Amino acid sequence: METFGKRYHPPGTPPGTLTRHSTSDTTHIRLFEYDGENFSETSSPTAQQCQHAQQNTLVDWLDVTGVNDPIAIRELGETFGLHPLALEDILNSGQRPKIDFHEQHAVLILNLPHLIEDDIVLEQVSLFIGNGHLLSFCSGDGAAFEPVRQRLRQGFGRMRTRGVEYLLYTLVDVVIDSAFPLLEDIGEQIEALEDRVLEKPDKAILHTLHQLKRDLLLLRRALWPQREVISRLIQHDAELVNATMRPYFSDCYDHAVQIIDLIETYREMLNGMLDIYLSSLSNRMNDIMRVLTVVGTIFIPLTFIVGVYGMNFRVMPELEWEYGYFIIWGIMLALAIGMLAAFKWRKWL
Amino acid sequence: METFGKRYHPPGTPPGTLTRHSTSDTTHIRLFEYDGENFSETSSPTAQQCQHAQQNTLVDWLDVTGVNDPIAIRELGETFGLHPLALEDILNSGQRPKIDFHEQHAVLILNLPHLIEDDIVLEQVSLFIGNGHLLSFCSGDGAAFEPVRQRLRQGFGRMRTRGVEYLLYTLVDVVIDSAFPLLEDIGEQIEALEDRVLEKPDKAILHTLHQLKRDLLLLRRALWPQREVISRLIQHDAELVNATMRPYFSDCYDHAVQIIDLIETYREMLNGMLDIYLSSLSNRMNDIMRVLTVVGTIFIPLTFIVGVYGMNFRVMPELEWEYGYFIIWGIMLALAIGMLAAFKWRKWL
Amino acid sequence: METFGKRYHPPGTPPGTLTRHSTSDTTHIRLFEYDGENFSETSSPTAQQCQHAQQNTLVDWLDVTGVNDPIAIRELGETFGLHPLALEDILNSGQRPKIDFHEQHAVLILNLPHLIEDDIVLEQVSLFIGNGHLLSFCSGDGAAFEPVRQRLRQGFGRMRTRGVEYLLYTLVDVVIDSAFPLLEDIGEQIEALEDRVLEKPDKAILHTLHQLKRDLLLLRRALWPQREVISRLIQHDAELVNATMRPYFSDCYDHAVQIIDLIETYREMLNGMLDIYLSSLSNRMNDIMRVLTVVGTIFIPLTFIVGVYGMNFRVMPELEWEYGYFIIWGIMLALAIGMLAAFKWRKWL
Amino acid sequence: METFGKRYHPPGTPPGTLTRHSTSDTTHIRLFEYDGENFSETSSPTAQQCQHAQQNTLVDWLDVTGVNDPIAIRELGETFGLHPLALEDILNSGQRPKIDFHEQHAVLILNLPHLIEDDIVLEQVSLFIGNGHLLSFCSGDGAAFEPVRQRLRQGFGRMRTRGVEYLLYTLVDVVIDSAFPLLEDIGEQIEALEDRVLEKPDKAILHTLHQLKRDLLLLRRALWPQREVISRLIQHDAELVNATMRPYFSDCYDHAVQIIDLIETYREMLNGMLDIYLSSLSNRMNDIMRVLTVVGTIFIPLTFIVGVYGMNFRVMPELEWEYGYFIIWGIMLALAIGMLAAFKWRKWL
Amino acid sequence: METFGKRYHPPGTPPGTLTRHSTSDTTHIRLFEYDGENFSETSSPTAQQCQHAQQNTLVDWLDVTGVNDPIAIRELGETFGLHPLALEDILNSGQRPKIDFHEQHAVLILNLPHLIEDDIVLEQVSLFIGNGHLLSFCSGDGAAFEPVRQRLRQGFGRMRTRGVEYLLYTLVDVVIDSAFPLLEDIGEQIEALEDRVLEKPDKAILHTLHQLKRDLLLLRRALWPQREVISRLIQHDAELVNATMRPYFSDCYDHAVQIIDLIETYREMLNGMLDIYLSSLSNRMNDIMRVLTVVGTIFIPLTFIVGVYGMNFRVMPELEWEYGYFIIWGIMLALAIGMLAAFKWRKWL
């Protein structure tokens, strides 16, 4: 997960300047038009088709993926009358999730997290809604929306019979819920770590702990504001979120809260595990220390004693004694046992 | 306590899809109908009986336990006119406690914690109330509600003479208060740990500390939102919580606050104990260290001295002295006593 | 200080059930009736006397201490028309401080902390006020109210000339201010610890630190909500807290805030001291370590050298040299001084 | 800085009892009366002079310093109609800063911190304002107000031409700003510590860190509520803080916020430094440890080897070899170099 | 970054006194006047030119850089009718960002951070706006505004056709966005540190960590209040922030929030890294310790054994045995292997 994407212009440049976003994905534009009875899908629609779509009574979904072509975006923006600052937001991925209400439309900027080869990648999804049409811009390949496209194409459920508000809900729901599989994955990693931390704390754990903490920190930054976005959407826009749609968006809100809740819980668990890890390390060092102490403090005095009788003084009475050697062994054994008992008594063993 | 239950659908599936919840409990449905004079209990009522119950003036309690049959739940939902998203919430246990107000009824989702073999298990209780009837769905065996059922059957107290609001209060009270025995159990474990932490800090303590912290963390996540649920119930619904019922629900609210209060207090106590544990470890290592230092620093120089006179140089004048051996013993004793005195003076002993 | 008092019923029992509180104190009931001109004190008043007291225009104070008789309390409750849930609160000590407004009366539940043999004990004080009478229930012996009783008996000050609101203020003031001597005691202990922590960090300090932290944590839990209780009393009840009484209750509120302030300050000081304690420990271990290092690293190589010339090889040229022994002494001295200088240079000494 | 001043009465004594505050300062009372054209200063004014001052249209400032005479204060209180609880607050220094609005006057209690011989001392300043007169009571010698007195006496600036509100602002400004020199002093101490912490962490630093943390903690407790006092003054009293005076009191408010901001920043810096201090200690111990390890692990095996050939077994073939001694030296050198290389490779050197 | 600039007057001096700010920059004053058709730039305008500029209908921008001349500032203040306290704020750099609304104009005080030789320097920018003119005062050389000046001079974009509100937005945007390059720089340093912390924790890292934490702490203090400044500007001033300008200032607000967000995220990352650093240190010490233990505990007993047979007792039977020497080698090898196996089994190797 990248810590800091280029998300600003050099200070002092005029606002609304479009800069090219460097992704390798090619831009795909699809126009879906439908109501209860009709359905059409146009790939790469012309400006004329777009303008036509705006005027009829069908629900229009302009689905743009792999956003990286400033000129095409600018044209679309002009066709649909989008604010230049909003266009700038679409092209500069790495935005904080937010909701803006302009005269003609509302803009939601959301983060869609997914895993690419064990790495958390954020895809920026910008949703423009107003006057019966919805524009969605994904900075990535927009694969997460494929099930929605399929449901529209197949006419499965009551998807086609409902208005643009329901389409908005469906897309927001997909974006918010995309955090759950990631969090489940993290949850499983945490559970796996827990036993290892207590049993055998090694360096690899520290690495994983650090990685997980970092991922959760960045995920929190990316997802935390989404709760407020949904909350402001529900409170503000009486047209989009009417009595029928309110339970659906409330459900989205609950999910957003649940996600933040989970992230915070995981973060606290990881902090707790770091404490436990350090305590386990201390414990182990303590154990090792104790052994060193016992071995050291028992043998160091004994080594001194045998050193004494290795001295070459001309006059050393003990050396001449018949049983000197055996006496000295006895003394040394007594000393060793005495010290062992002392350690036992002090509970150091 | 399970960290992360399956609590989401794969992103993109239509909302309201019912998935089967894997529990081994079988579903039991009981229908209680009563007022001051009448009382009937029907096991596994038919759809017709349910519809009949809705129309009469008696208080109806449809008590469903061991929720795992999507088809039966869907049928009940249609009979009582429940929202599809609410049905989905019943079947997906692991929900965050919440309250939703629909047109016809209010929905409370609560967590009922209980101990199964020293393990904290969360049972999800969903309560639907409206138009004189109350539906309760327990994800587990619903044993916690048995005393309430008994009081209804035996007509003990004024239970039967009061309306559906009092029944709601009784069930909410049971769910909230179920946390107290758990917390008492945790409280006793903490008190037992306290002495051990100061006296003999060992690895098992670390394990228990970690376990308790984790349990409290997950318990907090499960129970924290219940305070807000009760608070919103009191503020919002003037019909359910009228002047007579207000003291009862206020009492529930006080209990919910007390539970959170206790959880936070216990968490802080455990954090304090971890600090003390680490300090005790440091203290012990310090003690051990001191002994090693004293033994080491006293004998290492002495061993050097005896090593000197173990050398085999041809010319070593001291070796020839009559009292060399005794003089060296004297020097060594003086050195040892001097060092002991120095340690004493530095307060290392 | 007890961590967890029995403060709940088994889940599912009907609310309002009175359980007997296990204290050894005997219940004392006193009825004070007074106005500017009259004063009477009745010990153990009959139900009739109580009812009479309710009807006259005198200020009535029913002062109950050593609450442990459910039957007597229930009778009093019926005489004065108290809510069954409120009676339950009186008998279950260990309540969180709270204020409830019923139709006829307001109920304040407060905690009165005092020291019994260096142990902090919480006495629960429940105050019922309404219609010109005040009922006070102390779970302990109510000794803290003795000065108030004396002032009433002696007619000292303007106590008797003021209404029941002033009596309420006096009792609340006594309860709140009872925390000050405790906190002063704790403050003095903290000051005494501070010097010891920096000078000679030993195990007893850790014990005291832990004890103080725990006491403050539990004291905070017991006293924190009292601030809100007073605040809600001032805001809510225009009759009790009129323009004349407002400065008095504001003063109580200021004291409650000051108490919380002090508790938080002390807690931060103790946390700071634990950090300092651990740092001091590290410092000491560092000192000891340095000495061990110096003695060890100086003598270990020297011991090796003398070991070399203690070997019994047939051919060892140095041993035959005239001044070999003295040369080796010179080398060893040079080595020792060199190492000492190196340590000095690295600031390890 | 004293942790806990006597700031309470024994619980149960009647409120408003005046107790004598033990300071060695003598009480000075000065009465300033002025408007644009007149100015008079009366030292130790009589009660009659005070009453006269209340009735004329001049601005009156009754400036009391070294408050320790309960009788004089009580008399003043009666002359100016002050509330008995407010008088009590004046005499009990150690109050939490607060603002009270009585019928006739507003009362501000503030803390004026200053340094006496490197020790932070709090002087309590009580300001009564109403009806064109201002009473100020300092618990200390009131030296901080001397510049204000001088400006009044000399008629410098527009001081005399403005009303009592401007005088209030001037005094409040003096009290609030008196924290800046203290904080600058602490800021300089922190900067001086920063280098030492990284370079040479010693015990004295720990002492200073602890001292600074404690001072900031107590300073925060004393000054934090002043922000709210000014804020409530601005919001509440439309007469004192009119459109002309608003920018001045806003400036005071900004300073109060800046002071809290600085205290918090310093506290965080000190916490950061304690972490760095502990890390530096660990680093140093690590360095020392490494040297001990290298010296120990290199010489201990070598000492064993030379010990082997110091044994006196009758049959030890190596001892008889012509070049045994030199071979053993070679082996030992190879071993030592090998181990050094291994340590180098593991980056332990 | 300087911790504490002189930002206060000695307590007791009259407010509004101008003191000379010690910077080496020389003051530059530029007057820009423009509308859609006209443009003029006057360097060092006279008071007359300034007064003339106030009266015409052109947009006026008085751009003052290198503020250090109290007399010139006072004159400008009188010409444009600025409040004396506001003038004081301009000259005392080190102000907390704030917004004040006076009768004639609004004042914004902002901090513009930039890097000078790897050191974060804060430049104070004060903006006065009202009646179609804008005054900007930079405490530094104002180089950050150069692109804006160029855009005005060159008439690029629609800069000249828009009113003074757009100019205000442009300058505020420049000031706020100036934090991004700094934060990117810090972000890169943090990423670079992360690998080093886990791989090779050394003292230099601690130094860098400390430096970064301190910079972020001071940056947070300087930039945090800017969010509230923009928020209050949007909410308060309906004239400046009309419907057309709202999206622009909202964008500024989003950037201010993003900056605080980044600072907090970085601070948490650094705290996490300090934990990891300490854990890595512990890990390394643990590794070193283990080696010392193994070498020590294996060779200390062996050294004792060889010491035994170096003793010179007259009677030592083992010494006379034919294979004594070889037997002892066998015993010692067995002992060494046994101990190695024990360590392996305890997972210490």
Side-chain angles (χ1 to χ4, degrees), chain E residues 109-303:
Chain E
I109 303 216
L110 300 172
N111 282 323
L112 188 156
H114 52 93
L115 277 181
I116 295 186
E117 289 167 16
D118 281 351
D119 233 25
I120 297 173
V121 173
L122 287 182
E123 193 171 336
Q124 178 174 315
V125 174
S126 315
L127 301 172
F128 288 75
I129 187 158
N131 298 332
H133 53 261
L134 189 152
L135 282 68
S136 70
F137 298 84
C138 301
S139 71
D141 62 0
F145 287 166
E146 202 51 39
V148 182
R149 288 182 205 116
Q150 285 303 329
R151 276 163 64 197
L152 273 181
R153 282 170 194 146
Q154 294 163 2
F156 175 79
R158 287 168 301 178
M159 186 85 197
R160 284 197 201 160
T161 62
R162 302 190 172 194
V164 75
E165 305 83 18
Y166 192 82
L167 177 63
L168 174 68
Y169 153 68
T170 312
L171 297 183
V172 169
D173 193 50
V174 166
V175 173
I176 302 245
D177 284 6
S178 63
F180 280 120
L182 259 82
L183 287 173
E184 186 181 23
D185 184 67
I186 290 174
E188 275 163 15
Q189 286 188 57
I190 290 175
E191 291 214 339
L193 273 183
E194 277 205 322
D195 296 328
R196 283 173 60 201
V197 159
L198 281 165
E199 291 317 312
K200 186 170 180 305
D202 58 25
K203 213 170 178 172
I205 286 174
L206 193 61
H207 208 292
T208 317
L209 270 177
H210 179 62
Q211 193 62 37
L212 286 172
K213 276 184 78 174
R214 199 172 168 279
D215 281 2
L216 283 170
L217 183 59
L218 296 176
L219 216 50
R220 188 181 63 155
R221 183 153 75 86
L223 301 183
W224 181 277
Q226 298 195 162
R227 183 177 62 163
E228 206 199 324
V229 168
I230 311 288
S231 159
R232 286 190 57 203
L233 178 68
I234 295 174
Q235 278 161 28
H236 184 281
D237 203 320
E239 222 169 305
L240 285 176
V241 185
N242 50 27
T244 317
M245 291 309 296
R246 184 172 293 271
Y248 292 96
F249 282 102
S250 288
D251 199 60
C252 274
Y253 179 77
D254 286 343
H255 287 197
V257 169
Q258 226 170 29
I259 285 165
I260 292 165
D261 226 38
L262 265 176
I263 292 177
E264 290 305 316
T265 304
Y266 286 168
R267 276 165 53 88
E268 288 200 46
M269 287 176 101
L270 285 176
N271 281 336
M273 279 166 73
L274 191 61
D275 286 346
I276 298 297
Y277 175 78
L278 288 174
S279 306
S280 286
L281 275 193
S282 288
N283 257 330
R284 278 174 68 86
M285 207 190 279
N286 226 352
D287 284 355
I288 296 177
M289 209 73 179
R290 268 210 310 276
V291 167
L292 177 62
T293 308
V294 168
V295 169
T297 48
I298 286 176
F299 281 101
I300 285 175
L302 300 186
T303 303

Side-chain angles (χ1 to χ4, degrees), chain A residues 3-4 6 8 12 15 98 210 214 220-221 267 277 288-289 306 309-312 319-320 325, chain E residues 151 169 184 191 194 254 258 262 265-266 268 283 289 293 300 311-312 314-316 318 347-348:
Chain A
T3 319
F4 189 104
K6 299 267 180 194
Y8 62 93
K98 63 177 178 182
H210 179 61
R214 202 173 166 277
R220 187 181 63 153
R221 184 153 74 87
R267 276 166 53 87
Y277 175 78
I288 296 178
M289 208 75 179
V306 301
Y309 296 103
M311 290 195 293
N312 298 318
L319 293 181
E320 307 304 321
Y325 178 57
Chain E
R151 276 163 64 197
Y169 153 68
E184 186 181 23
E191 291 214 339
E194 277 205 322
D254 286 343
Q258 226 170 29
L262 265 176
T265 304
Y266 286 168
E268 288 200 46
N283 257 330
M289 209 73 179
T293 308
I300 285 175
M311 290 194 294
N312 298 318
R314 197 168 51 77
V315 183
M316 285 178 71
E318 300 95 320
K347 302 235 169 82
W348 289 359

Side-chain angles (χ1 to χ4, degrees), chain C residues 8-21:
Chain C
Y8 63 92
H9 289 290
T13 51
T17 311
L18 298 188
T19 51
R20 190 182 163 88
H21 182 250

Side-chain angles (χ1 to χ4, degrees), chain B residues 215-227:
Chain B
D215 281 1
L216 283 170
L217 184 59
L218 296 175
L219 216 50
R220 188 181 61 152
R221 184 153 73 87
L223 302 183
W224 181 275
Q226 298 196 162
R227 182 177 64 161

Side-chain angles (χ1 to χ4, degrees), chain C residues 147-148 151 156 166 169 174 177-178 180-181 183-184 191 194 198-199 247-248 250-251 254 257-258 261-262 265-266 268-269 272-273 275-276 279-280 282-283 285-286 289-290 292-293 296-297 300-301 303-304 307-318 343 346-348, chain D residues 2-4 6-8 11-15 83-85 89 94-96 98 100 102 200 203 206-207 210 213-214 217-218 220-221 267 274 277-278 281 284-285 287-289 291-292 295-296 299 302-303 305-306 309-312 318-322 324-326 328-329 332:
Chain C
V148 182
R151 275 164 63 198
F156 174 79
Y166 192 82
Y169 154 69
V174 166
D177 284 5
S178 63
F180 278 120
L183 287 173
E184 187 181 23
E191 291 215 339
E194 278 205 322
L198 280 165
E199 292 316 313
Y248 292 97
S250 286
D251 199 60
D254 285 343
V257 169
Q258 225 169 30
D261 226 39
L262 265 176
T265 304
Y266 286 167
E268 288 201 46
M269 286 176 102
M273 278 165 74
D275 286 346
I276 298 296
S279 306
S280 286
S282 289
N283 257 330
M285 206 189 278
N286 227 352
M289 208 73 178
R290 268 210 309 275
L292 177 61
T293 308
T297 49
I300 286 175
T303 302
F304 163 71
V308 166
Y309 296 103
M311 291 195 292
N312 298 319
F313 281 99
R314 194 166 52 78
V315 183
M316 286 179 70
E318 300 95 320
F343 294 151
R346 288 195 176 199
K347 301 233 169 84
W348 290 359
Chain D
E2 200 186 346
T3 319
F4 190 102
K6 299 265 180 196
R7 71 175 60 87
Y8 63 93
T13 49
H83 196 280
L85 283 171
D89 285 343
Q95 295 291 323
R96 203 170 180 268
K98 64 176 177 181
D100 281 330
H102 295 279
K200 187 171 179 306
K203 214 170 177 173
L206 193 61
H207 208 291
H210 180 61
K213 277 184 76 175
R214 200 172 168 280
L217 183 60
L218 296 176
R220 188 181 61 154
R221 183 154 73 89
R267 275 165 53 88
L274 191 62
Y277 175 79
L278 288 174
L281 275 193
R284 279 175 67 85
M285 207 190 278
D287 284 356
I288 296 177
M289 209 73 179
V291 168
L292 177 61
V295 169
F299 281 102
L302 299 186
T303 302
I305 291 171
V306 301
Y309 296 103
M311 291 194 292
N312 298 320
E318 300 96 317
L319 292 181
E320 307 304 321
W321 296 350
E322 183 82 37
Y325 177 56
F326 305 104
I328 227 64
W329 260 122
M332 292 196 299

